[in-house]
Amino acid sequence: MSRNPDRETRVRVGQTLIAIEAPDARLARRLRDHFHVPPFEGSPDMVVKLSLRRSGADGIVDSLFEQKNVDGEFFQIGGGIVQGCYRREKGEADVQVDERLLSGRLIRVFEQLLYQVFFSDPRNRDGKTLLLHSSGVLHGRSGYLFTGSSGAGKSTVAALSSRDTVLNDEICLVRFQGSETILESTPFNGFFRRKSEGSAPLKCVFLLCQAKNHSVRSMGRVEAVSALLPQVVPAIGMDERITRDTLELMLDLAAELQRRVPIRRLEFAHDAGFWKKIEEMGDVQEHGGEA
Amino acid sequence: MIGRSAVPTPATSLVARKIGEETILVNEKGDMLHTLNETGSFIWENIDGKRSIGDILALMREEFELPDEGPEVDVSRFIEELADKGIVNIGP
């Protein structure tokens, strides 16, 4: 089937190339501007055909992972603000989206649908791939992740890392590749827009806490896994809901990340001096993750 | 306080993972997190809907070389707290 490139936006998340077909060229341009993506060649792995509607929902939920009903290949989220049909064998979905979800800050909620498109690709369900709510920065030749709940300072860290390569301040991709753990950029958007594509071996993960002074401290294994778990994006496809198996996988991924990479608590003030604290951590270079 | 003949059962809505000697418990919504230390983990692992509190206490005495006095109250209280949090259910 031929597609109209004027109405298409392509985003690459890891090894998955997602084509989003908009109902008109104007929306397609808005999506391309939002994701700030270059034109991609080659066949997409997943195709999402969008159409807009005005649902009857009073408000827009802030999570597309909850309030989700699934019936075979059909799914409905948040009382109908997103609904559609995913044909798994073809890697194609027809999705009707409440038009409010594609404007202003709510487009960041729309992005959560693309997390599910990413996990609809079976290659990303290998137990070695996770999306993490985090800020990712390449400092020197190493990758560093900064994570924490909303308001913890992920975007602030990105803004304070102008001398480095900021991959993202919202969602980063982590892959377990043999003995290495790789940090990769994604096209998703937080508040920091000057993000770059790239990847590097992941050296350390920092749990963020804003404070008056910079300090770094170790974390116990359970403390670290407990803190990581809420930041792991549930690995479910468009035609799936969060189940017990999903939670078990999220726990396994958080535990595996803690096993592989040092997890530290970073208290940081509003200046870039925290990088000096990180550089002073000699053990980050030498030791693995397990305490 | 619950008696030693009571039989606790793990809540089916929880997912548990052992990390080292400790245990993380998460509910199905993913929004309730409990952590158990080494002793708590041992008690949790022996809550199976069949063993009574007295049975669990006997296993603990053997595993941790506990004295005869004291631990029964602590174990019962601990399991009561787990029940209050919805982590276990208490049978007769």
Side-chain angles (χ1 to χ4, degrees), chain B residues 6-7 48 64 69 76 79:
Chain B
V7 176
D48 60 2
F64 298 106
E69 302 296 326
S76 293
I79 293 176

mmCIF file of all heavy atoms in Angstrom, chain B residues 6-7 48 64 69 76 79:
data_model
loop_
_atom_site.group_PDB
_atom_site.id
_atom_site.type_symbol
_atom_site.label_atom_id
_atom_site.label_comp_id
_atom_site.label_asym_id
_atom_site.label_seq_id
_atom_site.Cartn_x
_atom_site.Cartn_y
_atom_site.Cartn_z
ATOM 1 N N ALA B 6 -3.901 -19.627 63.824
ATOM 2 C CA ALA B 6 -4.376 -18.920 62.622
ATOM 3 C C ALA B 6 -3.480 -19.249 61.435
ATOM 4 O O ALA B 6 -2.268 -19.401 61.577
ATOM 5 C CB ALA B 6 -4.391 -17.413 62.876
ATOM 6 N N VAL B 7 -4.099 -19.320 60.266
ATOM 7 C CA VAL B 7 -3.357 -19.665 59.043
ATOM 8 C C VAL B 7 -3.366 -18.465 58.105
ATOM 9 O O VAL B 7 -4.410 -18.114 57.554
ATOM 10 C CB VAL B 7 -3.993 -20.884 58.346
ATOM 11 C CG1 VAL B 7 -3.279 -21.186 57.028
ATOM 12 C CG2 VAL B 7 -3.960 -22.097 59.268
ATOM 13 N N ASP B 48 1.783 -19.751 53.282
ATOM 14 C CA ASP B 48 1.338 -20.463 52.079
ATOM 15 C C ASP B 48 -0.112 -20.908 52.164
ATOM 16 O O ASP B 48 -0.578 -21.698 51.362
ATOM 17 C CB ASP B 48 2.236 -21.688 51.821
ATOM 18 C CG ASP B 48 2.212 -22.677 52.983
ATOM 19 O OD1 ASP B 48 1.482 -22.433 53.972
ATOM 20 O OD2 ASP B 48 2.926 -23.687 52.916
ATOM 21 N N PHE B 64 16.725 -19.448 62.799
ATOM 22 C CA PHE B 64 17.441 -18.331 63.401
ATOM 23 C C PHE B 64 17.889 -18.622 64.836
ATOM 24 O O PHE B 64 18.424 -17.746 65.508
ATOM 25 C CB PHE B 64 16.558 -17.068 63.397
ATOM 26 C CG PHE B 64 16.182 -16.599 62.021
ATOM 27 C CD1 PHE B 64 14.896 -16.789 61.526
ATOM 28 C CD2 PHE B 64 17.116 -15.975 61.208
ATOM 29 C CE1 PHE B 64 14.550 -16.366 60.253
ATOM 30 C CE2 PHE B 64 16.780 -15.538 59.933
ATOM 31 C CZ PHE B 64 15.488 -15.732 59.454
ATOM 32 N N GLU B 69 10.905 -17.821 74.397
ATOM 33 C CA GLU B 69 10.047 -16.705 74.804
ATOM 34 C C GLU B 69 10.234 -15.526 73.843
ATOM 35 O O GLU B 69 11.305 -15.328 73.293
ATOM 36 C CB GLU B 69 10.415 -16.231 76.219
ATOM 37 C CG GLU B 69 10.330 -17.312 77.300
ATOM 38 C CD GLU B 69 8.906 -17.814 77.480
ATOM 39 O OE1 GLU B 69 7.964 -17.011 77.320
ATOM 40 O OE2 GLU B 69 8.743 -19.009 77.783
ATOM 41 N N SER B 76 3.475 -12.881 65.552
ATOM 42 C CA SER B 76 2.035 -12.644 65.433
ATOM 43 C C SER B 76 1.754 -11.185 65.097
ATOM 44 O O SER B 76 0.909 -10.896 64.241
ATOM 45 C CB SER B 76 1.320 -13.022 66.737
ATOM 46 O OG SER B 76 1.388 -14.415 66.956
ATOM 47 N N ILE B 79 2.659 -10.468 61.453
ATOM 48 C CA ILE B 79 1.683 -10.996 60.497
ATOM 49 C C ILE B 79 0.383 -10.203 60.576
ATOM 50 O O ILE B 79 -0.277 -9.964 59.555
ATOM 51 C CB ILE B 79 1.445 -12.500 60.730
ATOM 52 C CG1 ILE B 79 2.735 -13.258 60.389
ATOM 53 C CG2 ILE B 79 0.276 -13.023 59.916
ATOM 54 C CD1 ILE B 79 2.684 -14.751 60.652
#
